[in-house]
Amino acid sequence: MTKVAVVEIDGCLASAAAITHDVLATANRIGTTKRTRFEVATLRYGPRRHAGRLRGADLVIVPGLGSASADELERKLATPACRHARDMLVTAFANGAMLAASCASSFLLAETGLLDGKRATTTWWFAPLFRQRYPNVELMTERMVVADWPIATAGAAMAQMDLMLAVITRFGSPALAKGCANYLLLGERHSQAPFMAINYLASQDPKVARAEKWVRSNIARDFTIGDVAAAVALTPRTFARRLEAICGVSPIQFVQRIRIETARSLLETTRLSVEEIAGKVGYAEPSTLRRLIRRETRHSPRHFRSGG
């Protein structure tokens, strides 16, 4: 039996906490052996009361913190509740517990220093802040889940579902995880990339925002990365560094994301052929567009034309 502690910090995402308990309860319901069962305890950290010491947990799960903005998140990380929870995580890990967190709670794990030198993911819209605060963590923003046990992290909000399936796989079995997914109608998702709004990330830096606008205005043209950098008065190297810091992508990926996003919109809202759309977003060969859409979304262009 696996002993699980679910740490719910005041204001955490109610949906993420509910998903955690629902998936564990489902695993207990459909599991066939005692070994795959989960004994679950909830620890609540708030402004007036803090959970007691954690003893004997095999796994500690922290659902998303529920912060709507970077400023709010930084204020929350400085609260007594988060500081107590951070110290508890360090102690639990030292005592042999594995750790799992999703969304902004990945920041709480990073605060402990336990992610230094390791890979992690977090909610995509907080990626620039994460890189700024924790330069020693290898952030993989596009990944839905990075399950590098003994620590696992997951992306934005509903990525808690994907994290929980990774938990069931690790502590139960792949078959049990598949059973839970089927029972709860949870689909397998590997990447946050299809959900990432490049314009939102770009808006956090004036130069990158101008570059995004320039690419969209010249999207049908055959231009180089040097052209984009020059349009915003940056050298290609400086432009690449700014993009990595703000959007977590290379210049080529930046342009491809904008082109694929535009192509998807045209697929969904017009009856233009793939060949016509490819030309409108700067690809001479329709096969290139098809390949990139499939790579980024795991779907063919037909999926977006038909609505799935």
Side-chain angles (χ1 to χ4, degrees):
M1 180 175 291
T2 301
K3 293 185 177 181
V4 180
V6 181
V7 175
E8 299 180 10
I9 297 170
D10 187 54
C12 76
L13 283 172
S15 56
I19 287 166
T20 302
H21 290 285
D22 285 347
V23 174
L24 291 171
T26 300
N28 283 341
R29 189 178 305 118
I30 68 177
T32 56
T33 68
K34 186 176 181 179
R35 185 184 67 82
T36 60
R37 290 187 62 80
F38 297 87
E39 180 182 303
V40 184
T42 302
L43 285 70
R44 294 186 173 89
Y45 287 78
R48 293 186 176 83
R49 65 181 187 276
H50 304 299
R53 296 179 62 187
L54 184 67
R55 294 184 179 89
D58 301 301
L59 172 67
V60 181
I61 301 172
V62 190
L65 289 177
S67 300
S69 69
D71 288 343
E72 181 183 331
L73 174 57
E74 291 193 288
R75 287 195 299 271
K76 190 161 192 175
L77 290 171
T79 62
C82 277
R83 291 202 302 271
H84 281 289
R86 177 199 62 202
D87 294 342
M88 180 276 296
L89 290 171
V90 172
T91 300
F93 189 77
N95 289 335
M98 298 192 191
L99 308 177
S102 70
C103 201
S105 288
S106 296
F107 281 72
L108 190 62
L109 287 189
E111 287 287 305
T112 68
L114 296 173
L115 288 178
D116 286 357
K118 296 182 173 62
R119 303 187 308 163
T121 188
T122 190
T123 179
W124 60 264
W125 60 84
F126 285 150
L129 178 63
F130 192 100
R131 289 190 180 88
Q132 176 188 328
R133 288 179 66 103
Y134 316 113
N136 295 325
V137 181
E138 183 184 352
L139 185 63
M140 308 181 74
T141 313
E142 294 187 3
R143 293 278 295 276
M144 190 71 73
V145 175
V146 176
D148 284 354
W149 299 108
I151 300 177
T153 53
M158 294 300 101
Q160 185 73 17
M161 296 186 295
D162 307 88
L163 179 65
M164 291 311 301
L165 293 180
V167 164
I168 301 302
T169 297
R170 173 61 181 79
F171 292 91
S173 68
L176 181 58
K178 183 172 178 57
C180 290
N182 291 342
Y183 190 92
L184 296 171
L185 298 181
L186 305 180
E188 187 177 22
R189 305 176 300 173
H190 297 282
S191 176
Q192 294 190 94
F195 308 99
M196 293 168 64
I198 202 73
N199 63 321
Y200 178 89
L201 294 172
S203 69
Q204 298 177 65
D205 180 281
K207 293 278 190 179
V208 177
R210 282 173 54 197
E212 186 224 355
K213 184 176 180 179
W214 189 92
V215 171
R216 291 188 187 278
S217 298
N218 294 273
I219 198 166
R221 285 182 48 206
D222 181 17
F223 55 79
T224 67
I225 297 304
D227 295 331
V228 185
V232 295
L234 293 175
T235 66
R237 181 173 296 181
T238 301
F239 179 53
R241 286 199 298 266
R242 293 277 275 269
L243 272 180
E244 175 62 31
I246 298 300
C247 300
V249 296
S250 70
I252 291 175
Q253 290 172 320
F254 179 72
V255 173
Q256 286 178 344
R257 290 280 178 80
I258 294 171
R259 284 179 160 153
I260 292 169
E261 179 186 291
T262 304
R264 281 185 55 176
S265 177
L266 290 171
L267 285 166
E268 293 168 348
T269 60
T270 75
R271 302 309 300 173
L272 294 174
S273 68
V274 174
E275 289 73 18
E276 291 172 310
I277 291 173
K280 285 184 175 294
V281 299
Y283 292 117
E285 294 295 331
S287 60
T288 302
L289 178 61
R290 288 191 176 95
R291 176 175 56 80
L292 289 172
I293 288 177
R294 186 175 291 278
R295 188 187 71 187
E296 293 293 323
T297 69
R298 295 180 179 266
H299 293 294
S300 69
R302 185 188 300 272
H303 171 87
F304 302 101
R305 174 58 45 82
S306 65

